[in-house]
Amino acid sequence: MTALAGRERGLIGARDVTAAVTGIGVVAPGGVGTEAWWASALRGRSAIGPVTRFDASGSPARLAGEVAGFADEEHVSGRLLPQTDRVTRLALAAAAEALGTAELDPERLPDYAVGVVTANAAGGFEFGQRELQALWSRGSRHVGAYQSFAWFYAANSGQISIRHGLRGPSGVVVSEQAGGLDAVAQARRHLRRGVQAVVTGGVDSTLCPWGWTAHLAVGGMSTAHDPDRAYLPFDADANGHVVGEGGALFVVEDGDAARARGARVLGLVAGCAATFDPAPGAGRPRLLAAAELALADAEITPADVDVVFADAAGDRAADRAEAEALTTLFGRFGVPVTAPKAMTGRLLSGGSAVDLAAALLALRDQVIPPTAGTTDVAEDCPVDLVTGRARPARLRTALVLARGRGGFNAATVVRTAD
C-alpha cells in the first residue's frame, strides 16, 4: 500500500487529505447505540420479528427489522417532536452519538468548518401518511405547517445542522441502499475542498402502512413467517429480503486536523467509487466495476482486502451476480464475506451505513461478525461466507459493497489507522 492510499486526488483545487473516521453513531435493529448494536451483531442473533409499529396481519409480508427500545422523547425535545418524523429522530440520536464519540465540539471550531451530508431514500413516510390522512378525512385546514419540510429527504441533514450549529456544506444523497456509502464519498469530497469535518452516513424508516404498501409494490420482500428463515443472503433457500429501519452516522475528519486535536481515529476511508447499471437487457450489472474502482482509489489490490461486507440481497439472482463479482475479484472462496444486515433487514440508506460501521468495528476488534440465518450457502455462490459465530481474524482492510434499486452500485474501502 502506498503512502497516498486513502488520500484524495484529482479534483481541481482539491487538497491532499486523509479522511479519518473519529465518531460512529448507530441506531438499528439489535441495539440503540454503537456498542449495544455491535454486541448484538457479534452474537449473530436476528433482530427481525413480526411488525409491531402497525397492523400488518393482512399483508403477505409481516416481518421487519424494528429499532426496539428507542423512546423518541429521550432523544428529541418536546418542541421538536411535532416537527419531525421518526426517521429524523433516529438520525438525531445517531448524530449525537457520533459527535460525542468523536469528542468534537463544533462551537470550538471556526464557522463553516463542519458540514452535514446524509443519505435518505424515502423521507418522512410516517409523518407524510399522517398528514395525508388528515387531509383526506378532515380537510386542508387540518394539515400542519410542518408537513412542508418534515417529509423531505433533506430533513435529517437540516435538523442535525440546526441542533449542533453545523454551518458548513450540507446536502442529501438519494440512492437507496447505496446511499450510506455515497454520502460518505460526498463527505470526503468536502474535506478535499477545505472542510474540517463532516457528519455523514444514512438513516431510513418506512415502517408504516403507506411505506409498507410501497415496498410491496416494488416487490422482492420475503413472505416467510419464521424470522430466522426470512432473509437468507447467499442461501440456497433465499426467497427475498426483509425491510428494516435505522442506520448509522459518522464523523469524518481531515486526518491532519484530527491528529492535531488528539482525536482517536477509528479507521480511514481509503477508497470510494460508484457506478450505475445499464438499462435492463442492455448489459451486465456494474457492481464489480464499483469494487475495482474503489480498490484503485485506495491504491490497493484484491490481495490486500481482508474481509468483504456484502450487499447480500437475499434474492437468488442478485446473490449469484454478487458472488460472481466477488469470485472474479478474489477467486472462489478467496476472502471472508459477511452480511450482518441479515440480522437487521435491509435498511435502505441506513443499510450500507451500518455495514460501514460494522467494517470499522471489525477492524478495531479484529473479528468478523456472522451472517445470521444463512445455513446452506448455495453452490452457485462460492464465497467464504461467515456464518454461525463470529470469526477472529487479522484485519487491516475491508471492502463494503452496496446496491440500490434503480441501478446504483457503491463500494468503499476502509482500513486501520496505523
Side-chain angles (χ1 to χ4, degrees):
M1 186 182 299
T2 72
L4 287 178
R7 292 183 178 272
E8 296 283 6
R9 303 167 299 279
L11 283 186
I12 296 174
R15 302 178 307 137
D16 188 22
V17 172
T18 299
V21 180
T22 57
I24 303 176
V26 178
V27 180
V32 176
T34 299
E35 298 304 333
W37 177 82
W38 180 234
S40 180
L42 290 179
R43 288 194 298 269
R45 295 178 183 174
S46 176
I48 292 170
V51 175
T52 65
R53 290 183 54 76
F54 65 96
D55 182 6
S57 60
S59 168
R62 305 174 190 174
L63 301 176
E66 298 181 337
V67 179
F70 184 86
D72 295 11
E73 62 276 7
E74 294 179 2
H75 301 275
V76 176
S77 68
R79 179 189 62 81
L80 200 56
L81 281 172
Q83 303 180 33
T84 53
D85 181 80
R86 178 175 174 86
V87 68
T88 301
R89 299 165 191 170
L90 296 174
L92 285 167
E97 185 190 13
L99 286 164
T101 57
E103 297 183 345
L104 182 68
D105 183 358
E107 293 186 358
R108 297 189 176 185
L109 299 177
D111 281 349
Y112 314 109
V114 185
V116 185
V117 178
T118 66
N120 184 264
F125 244 76
E126 189 173 23
F127 195 104
Q129 174 184 308
R130 189 166 59 247
E131 295 301 297
L132 285 173
Q133 285 178 315
L135 173 65
W136 294 334
S137 63
R138 303 170 65 190
S140 59
R141 292 173 179 261
H142 297 276
V143 177
Y146 300 133
Q147 167 66 0
S148 62
F149 61 82
W151 69 272
F152 193 45
Y153 306 94
N156 295 349
S157 289
Q159 294 290 2
I160 292 168
S161 174
I162 292 168
R163 170 176 279 193
H164 298 285
L166 310 182
R167 302 176 64 190
S170 295
V172 62
V173 176
V174 184
S175 52
E176 217 249 5
Q177 187 80 16
L181 300 186
D182 289 337
V184 171
Q186 178 68 2
R188 196 175 66 151
R189 294 186 190 101
H190 286 312
L191 298 183
R192 297 169 70 175
R193 296 184 173 99
V195 177
Q196 182 171 329
V198 182
V199 176
T200 187
V203 182
D204 260 299
S205 179
T206 55
L207 300 185
C208 64
W210 192 23
W212 207 248
T213 300
H215 288 299
L216 291 171
V218 172
M221 294 177 69
S222 172
T223 57
H225 293 167
D226 180 357
D228 293 328
R229 299 295 296 168
Y231 181 23
L232 306 172
F234 301 109
D235 197 293
D237 293 330
N239 63 354
H241 67 276
V242 173
V243 173
E245 65 174 349
L249 294 176
F250 311 90
V251 174
V252 181
E253 291 190 58
D254 177 315
D256 291 337
R259 285 188 290 272
R261 71 178 185 87
R264 180 184 60 158
V265 176
L266 304 173
L268 305 178
V269 180
C272 299
T275 60
F276 299 92
D277 291 340
R284 297 174 64 82
R286 304 196 67 236
L287 179 64
L288 173 61
E292 291 173 330
L293 289 168
L295 296 181
D297 185 36
E299 297 187 341
I300 63 173
T301 70
D304 296 309
V305 175
D306 300 309
V307 61
V308 174
F309 286 76
D311 174 70
D315 169 84
R316 291 290 292 116
D319 286 347
R320 280 195 300 270
E322 185 169 21
E324 181 180 352
L326 293 173
T327 54
T328 299
L329 267 182
F330 304 105
R332 292 169 60 89
F333 308 103
V335 65
V337 176
T338 188
K341 63 169 61 71
M343 180 190 78
T344 65
R346 293 179 72 81
L347 313 183
L348 300 181
S349 298
S352 56
V354 171
D355 279 349
L356 186 61
L360 291 162
L361 295 166
L363 297 181
R364 183 194 70 180
D365 294 345
Q366 298 290 284
V367 63
I368 303 171
T371 304
T374 298
T375 56
D376 181 18
V377 179
E379 292 184 1
D380 55 7
C381 295
V383 297
D384 178 15
L385 192 69
V386 178
T387 61
R389 64 183 63 183
R391 180 189 299 182
R394 185 176 184 275
L395 306 174
R396 288 178 55 83
T397 304
L399 173 65
V400 184
L401 301 176
R403 292 172 291 188
R405 293 185 183 275
F408 298 100
N409 302 294
T412 300
V413 175
V414 290
R415 64 179 178 86
T416 54
D418 53 331

